[in-house]
Amino acid sequence: MNSFLLFSHILLLLPLLTLGSPLSTNGRWIVDESGRRVKLACVNWASHLDAMVTEGLNKQPVDAITAKVASLGFNCVRLTYATYMTAHQDYLYLTVRQSLLKNGLKEAVDGILLHNPNIIDLPLIEAFKAVIQSLEKNNIMVIMDNHVSKPQWCCSGTDGNGFFGDEYFDPAQWEMGLSNMARFFSLSPNVIAMSLRNELRGPRQNVQDWYKYMKSGAEAIHGANPKLLVILSGLSFDNDLSFLQQKQVDLSFQRKLVYEVHWYSFTNSGIWSNGDLNEVCSQRTYKMMRKAGFLLDQGFPLFLGEFGIDQRGVNMEDNRYLPCVLSLAADLDLDWALWSLQGSYYTREGTHDMEETYSVLSFDWSQFRNVTMLRIISSIQTPLTGPGLDQVPAYKMLYHPLTGRCVLRGNTGKDVVTGRCLKSEAWIYDNGNLALHGTNSSCLQTDGEGKLAILGTDCSGIASKWDMISATKMQFSSKVQGPSRRPLCLDIGPNGRSLVTNACKCFTGNQLCDPETQWFKLVKSTRILTDEKSTIDGLMP
Ligand SMILES: *[C@@H]1O[C@H](CO)[C@@H](O)[C@H](O)[C@H]1NC(C)=O
Ligand SMILES: *[C@@H]1O[C@H](CO)[C@@H](O)[C@H](O)[C@H]1NC(C)=O
């Protein structure tokens, strides 16, 4: 019997975070005071746009919103803000009502009076604090992200907010803003980190100033509140930290530094829908590793602070990009923050009550925009490994990034299906076999084209041998050929759950072919297997 199964009936209660105990870093991991890994699984919540009021308070009570965040399994929010809220005299004393009216947002005032009357006459920073306190009630950690100086939608290369010395981006004011925020929230136990500046960019950006200001900003935060993690973003819209291969940031303190990178399909617009997806994904992954992923090997945590898709499923580039990002996020067990929570903005780029479609919540903030997407995202929420999580010897999950599911034994014991990754089977890939850990003789086999993949006892025959092929190495190809004379690859069956073998996709040089149903990633885990129900399950139809 599979020894891992012995664990499978233990109900594993993930320890609740003790908010207030500071986090630090241990090599590439973020850890709590006991040294145990804390994985940041965050969602972005905007509070930096024109009125500098956290979005959505005109649509739902703040406690209802934060309870939803918690119910979805996010343990943290990347809460954005603008420097002017905390370090510009014309804005410092504005109340929520005044700030909204100044921006012509009378209807937003009415919405807030209806749903969150308590905050309407608070100064902006006190309203921001009320949001943080509501998150605290739900045990949600907060990263305060300095998103812009002048409040507005972010980002373009020429918006005056892009780099130190730009029209609105005064370095001294920025530094004062960082220390003001660090000090003001030093007694908020769930504020665990501050990121220095979102998406540096534009004609002024340069590496020399980056080192200079990242050092002064990090020291300003640490001086004001030494408990906080400090998060540094790269150049070119936070796509490039490659200069750190040559030179580190010289700081007076240790074990608090985290790096941040962003990755969207529109980071490289056009390539996802217009190329062999195996090639595109492997090249983008390689670039991501060269520009930022290498930092993990240097011993720093890397926070994927923004990624996401149009959750209506209508953007082909986004749809094709997501499984690629998820395969890397799962493989590296990254800390991350999804863009975004907000289903709407009070105003964005001149449009009042504008809808956000890259969002977890619907336009009226009462529903989830796309439950399928939430279930997919939940597959990367739980940490797989790291300090304190080495509960069992390392094994592999066979992760299917398109669906966010993992390969498990089916009911008959002979078939295999995809299901929740928390229940993943422990796989070993060895000598061409995909075998169940701890068993001698349960190897995945092809039974022919279009047929169910099965677990069999003959591990030496060619039906049990698998190569990892294509540029991504995410297609598992049998040496057995089908009638089409193409090798057979693991695939998802017509019912969406079972595993079958079909002719390997993308072997015909079709530029637009999409192999993603055949993508499987072997992902390392040392986590105890469990029957624990995730909160997402309750949402499933
Ligand atoms: C939800 O997201 C999935 C995955 O991206 C997509 O395929 C689907 O079309 C979306 N569904 C709806 C109803 O928006
Ligand atoms: C594996 O199989 C061999 C031969 O059938 C047997 O002698 C051995 O005990 C088995 N080992 C395990 C761990 O089941």
Side-chain angles (χ1 to χ4, degrees), residues 309-314 319 322 369-373 376:
I309 66 167
D310 186 324
Q311 295 204 16
R312 296 170 303 175
V314 295
N319 297 346
L322 186 65
R369 187 176 288 283
N370 186 332
V371 174
T372 305
M373 176 70 185
I376 293 172

Side-chain angles (χ1 to χ4, degrees), residues 128-147:
F128 191 80
K129 189 174 194 173
V131 172
I132 288 179
Q133 285 172 338
S134 178
L135 289 164
E136 183 193 338
K137 276 190 246 168
N138 285 289
N139 236 23
I140 307 276
M141 296 180 282
V142 174
I143 297 166
M144 298 195 299
D145 169 65
N146 179 245
H147 213 68

Side-chain angles (χ1 to χ4, degrees), residues 144-178:
M144 298 195 299
D145 169 65
N146 179 245
H147 213 68
V148 285
S149 290
K150 179 174 187 261
Q152 61 184 34
W153 176 249
C154 182
C155 305
S156 93
T158 54
D159 61 11
N161 265 317
F163 201 74
F164 304 96
D166 280 2
E167 186 177 358
Y168 307 116
F169 195 166
D170 170 20
Q173 182 191 52
W174 166 78
E175 204 178 299
M176 185 167 78
L178 292 178

Side-chain angles (χ1 to χ4, degrees), residues 422-462:
L422 278 175
K423 289 175 78 169
S424 172
E425 224 72 60
W427 296 92
I428 301 276
Y429 181 64
D430 185 29
N431 194 25
N433 289 139
L434 270 170
L436 284 174
H437 195 285
T439 63
N440 223 344
S441 52
S442 273
C443 287
L444 202 59
Q445 299 183 355
T446 176
D447 204 21
E449 184 160 345
K451 303 261 181 62
L452 291 177
I454 52 171
L455 285 165
T457 50
D458 175 12
C459 296
S460 53
I462 67 162

